[in-house]
Amino acid sequence: MSRNIMSLSILPMLMAAGIDATASEPVLRHAFDIHAQCGDALDAGVTPMGKRIVIPITGGTVTGDISADILPGGADYQLIDTTSGRTEFNAIYTIMTHDGHAIGVTNIGVSTSGKQGDYFTTTPKFEAPVQSDYDWLNNRIFVCKPIGFEDHAVKLRVWVVE
């Protein structure tokens, strides 16, 4: 009941702000590709949450709507459920645009292999300076999938939800 009341109370505010609250199918638009270079994986052992693997992010590039370098110092903190074959990803790193803006990236997701096939999808979230050409990253939802693996590197394609 409170959910309906909340929905009704927010609708006039959305309409007054000029926001269209009608449902529509999401559209994905390719925004950029990430080519992340990685160091050797560190097996941190079995924790109460599962098997923890830490993969250092050592560099790389971003090309497309953003042109940037991946700064060394980040990592992908993977949590593996060895019984189900499920892996959770939590990659945290920083990119530096070619015009000098540092943008924080947190990319969370999951991969599985099973009866329903393989699945590997993440949702990167960006923290860009508000007073920059990259502020739009703060206000959009993104979806990401791997498009290639190399020795100590992964290539990811990123779409923005329009």
Side-chain angles (χ1 to χ4, degrees):
M1 184 90 130
S2 64
R3 183 175 181 187
N4 291 338
I5 292 170
M6 185 179 194
S7 297
L8 293 174
S9 67
I10 197 168
L11 188 57
M13 292 185 298
L14 293 172
M15 292 172 65
I19 296 172
D20 182 5
T22 59
S24 62
E25 293 292 321
V27 175
L28 298 179
R29 179 183 63 79
H30 174 241
F32 44 88
D33 290 340
I34 297 171
H35 184 215
Q37 299 167 347
C38 305
D40 291 333
L42 168 67
D43 185 340
V46 177
T47 73
M49 302 298 291
K51 183 176 181 177
R52 178 66 71 185
I53 303 291
V54 180
I55 301 175
I57 299 172
T58 60
T61 57
V62 180
T63 56
D65 290 355
I66 301 171
S67 189
D69 292 317
I70 299 172
L71 300 179
D76 184 3
Y77 301 91
Q78 299 182 3
L79 190 59
I80 301 170
D81 180 345
T82 54
T83 60
S84 71
R86 182 179 191 276
T87 301
E88 290 183 14
F89 303 95
N90 187 7
I92 303 168
Y93 57 99
T94 304
I95 63 175
M96 180 66 71
T97 65
H98 290 167
D99 58 350
H101 295 280
I103 299 172
V105 182
T106 302
N107 195 3
I108 61 169
V110 65
S111 75
T112 60
S113 246
K115 296 176 193 171
Q116 296 148 339
D118 294 337
Y119 182 86
F120 187 146
T121 304
T122 63
T123 53
K125 184 176 179 183
F126 300 92
E127 187 177 338
V130 174
Q131 299 297 322
S132 74
D133 291 337
Y134 306 97
D135 182 45
W136 65 276
L137 294 167
N138 298 319
N139 303 305
R140 296 292 182 270
I141 301 294
F142 296 87
V143 177
C144 177
K145 286 190 155 299
I147 57 171
F149 296 95
E150 300 171 359
D151 187 33
H152 288 87
V154 61
K155 292 181 182 179
L156 305 167
R157 178 137 302 152
V158 179
W159 295 269
V160 60
V161 179
E162 299 281 359

